[in-house]
Amino acid sequence: MIDLRNVTKTYDNGAKAVKGISLHIEDGEFVFLVGPSGSGKSTLIKLLTAELLPTTGMVLVNNFNTGKIKRSQIPYMRRTLGVIFQDFRLIEKKNVFDNVAFAMRVIGASEKEIKSRVPYVLELVGLENKSHRLPEELSGGEQQRVAIARALINNPQMIIADEPTGNLDPARSLEIMMLLERINALGTTMMVVTHEKALVNRFSKRVIAIDDGLVISDGMDGYYNYETE
Amino acid sequence: MKRNNFGYYIREGNKGIFVHGFMSFAAICAIIACLLIMGSFVLITLNLNNIISDLERESEILVYIDDNLSEAEAKSVGSNINMITNVQQAVFVSRDEALQDYIGQQDDPTLFDGVDATTLRDRYRVTLLDIGQTKDTVTKIEAISGVAKVSAHYEISNGFMTMQSILNVASTAIIAILMIVSLFIISNTVKLALYDRREEIAIMRMVGATNRFIRGPFLIEGFTLGIVGAAIAFFAEWGVYSLITVRIQAVDTMKLLNLLPFMDIWAPMAAGFAAVGFVVGVIGSALSIRKFLRV
Ligand SMILES: Nc1ncnc2c1ncn2[C@@H]1O[C@H](COP(=O)(O)OP(=O)(O)OP(=O)(O)O)[C@@H](O)[C@H]1O
Ligand SMILES: [Mg+2]
């Protein structure tokens, strides 16, 4: 569950990236966040993951008020989120299994829990046969599946993906998007940032469009009706 | 999902040491150098203090009493000497006893034959509390009526005292500088380890690892570097000190310098080395981590 109320974010250098956004995302929703380059999408994502704190307004993520909670509580807020990036962000020297297991280890899971959970999630993303490969031995689409498995491994309430298909060809992009849709169907709230109009319009999902730090449209029609570039 | 992470910290921390073998080696060398110099200063200071307290115990002032005073009058001078604050003890020695002492000190007892005790003077053997104030005290004793002459050898003790105070200042300064240098090197070694693993750290933060968990391995890395350096330095110091004391004692046949055996001081030395290693290691890494983990 996400609740933003009159959120603004001004960077230290004075750049106003978010100029007053209010929106609500319910548990179980699938939402596309679209908008031109520099419109403030990544800034908004960073506000949700508490990488940035709002300049004014309130950011509520799974009942954590990021601007109000203690610093020491932020890790626990992040455990309710799974985050996926365009550049996968895998650890090059760890194999697929360990990349995914890593996310469990660092929050203190036992080896027993890891051994039973990781294969299940790898199967969910279709990588059950590649668990011993290193990231460099995988295609871009496969690497992104590893990142998705890692985002899922601690059973977050919500997954946030910042241009997850930005580095993939259209066919791979569609596969990834369908995988995210399937994960959403299993109960995880999904927020996907993307530039790709054609991709968005293949799904019938809620689409929030922002421009210049403001929400300019928010509808369930699943139509990406905003012109980019 | 609470679990004891200590094993993980140690595994990861020690991995870090080997990944940056050269920097770790440099950090350990810096700590060793720092502790060796520090330890040497401490050992020299300890020995000097020991020698000075020996001197304080042994060095006494002789206060000669005016010939014209009777033995009874001479004894009353003693209470005046004892009233001076820096005087620990004033022991009366009559001229007869003094003569016997002289005779007793000679290998040839006939040397003083024919010498009459009346040629000597009654005297006091005075021991002082603080030999640093010898000169002052001598002036005070000289002012007492009935005192004919005071003989003291404060040149030697003054020499040692000066050396001691110079050494104290110098060692404090050098120890401070070396600690800062070691701290800096450790901190940079850990910074390198942090930098090397920045992507991993970013991922850890993203998936909700606590700062304590992220910090753990790097603190262990600093701790290990500090303690390993301290241990090597301790044994090196022990070896070098034993060698030097043996050499000095071989030359110093008159046993002028009473050197402390390492066995008498090993425990506080070991504790000191371990403490410095620990502080430099842990604080050094904590400094880097703090900067690194600040969002
Ligand atoms: N760290 C920063 N410091 C200062 N200004 C920043 C910073 N990050 C982003 N900005 C500015 O904030 C605005 C929004 O940037 P943001 O990265 O959120 O855009 P975006 O919508 O994600 O764009 P893109 O689609 O290209 O990823 C831009 O004008 C950008 O220059
Ligand atoms: Mg962006």
Side-chain angles (χ1 to χ4, degrees), chain A residues 37-38 40-43 86 162-163 193 195:
Chain A
S37 187
K41 303 183 297 296
S42 294
T43 305
Q86 178 172 351
D162 194 353
E163 310 213 23
V193 172
H195 267 130

Side-chain angles (χ1 to χ4, degrees), chain A residues 2-141:
Chain A
I2 281 175
D3 219 356
L4 302 185
R5 302 233 182 103
N6 304 316
V7 174
T8 70
K9 180 65 196 180
T10 308
Y11 282 105
D12 288 342
N13 66 358
K16 287 185 168 60
V18 173
K19 299 180 176 171
I21 289 185
S22 296
L23 55 87
H24 182 84
I25 298 171
E26 214 24 84
D27 283 341
E29 274 194 82
F30 189 122
V31 177
F32 282 117
L33 182 66
V34 302
S37 187
S39 58
K41 303 183 297 296
S42 294
T43 305
L44 200 60
I45 297 287
K46 286 175 185 160
L47 287 166
L48 297 179
T49 60
E51 218 174 305
L52 297 174
L53 298 178
T55 306
T56 64
M58 185 193 69
V59 176
L60 206 62
V61 178
N62 297 327
N63 295 320
F64 288 90
N65 185 336
T66 66
K68 286 248 172 70
I69 57 173
K70 285 201 205 114
R71 247 165 198 284
S72 59
Q73 285 301 304
I74 290 178
Y76 299 96
M77 182 280 279
R78 290 193 178 135
R79 291 177 195 186
T80 70
L81 295 175
V83 191
I84 300 164
F85 299 94
Q86 178 172 351
D87 54 1
F88 321 135
R89 301 198 188 173
L90 303 177
I91 299 170
E92 291 301 324
K93 53 187 191 292
K94 288 193 198 291
N95 67 23
V96 168
F97 185 97
D98 285 331
N99 260 286
V100 177
F102 183 66
M104 286 184 84
R105 289 205 174 98
V106 301
I107 66 165
S110 71
E111 287 306 308
K112 195 169 145 237
E113 291 167 299
I114 290 171
K115 282 212 176 68
S116 73
R117 172 105 179 129
V118 175
Y120 166 75
V121 174
L122 285 180
E123 194 181 333
L124 191 69
V125 300
L127 285 176
E128 64 274 23
N129 296 323
K130 296 187 173 157
S131 68
H132 295 294
R133 297 254 192 114
L134 288 172
E136 62 184 10
E137 298 164 341
L138 297 173
S139 73

Side-chain angles (χ1 to χ4, degrees), chain A residues 75-76 78-79 85 89 91 93 102 106 108-109 113, chain B residues 1 3 200 203-210 213 295:
Chain A
Y76 299 96
R78 290 193 178 135
R79 291 177 195 186
F85 299 94
R89 301 198 188 173
I91 299 170
K93 53 187 191 292
F102 183 66
V106 301
E113 291 167 299
Chain B
M1 289 217 287
R3 189 172 57 106
E200 221 172 301
I203 292 166
M204 288 165 97
R205 298 167 62 86
M206 181 183 83
V207 300
T210 57
F213 185 91
V295 205

Side-chain angles (χ1 to χ4, degrees), chain A residues 149-165:
Chain A
R150 182 179 62 196
L152 264 180
I153 195 75
N154 290 322
N155 213 355
Q157 293 175 46
M158 177 170 194
I159 284 184
I160 295 175
D162 194 353
E163 310 213 23
T165 60

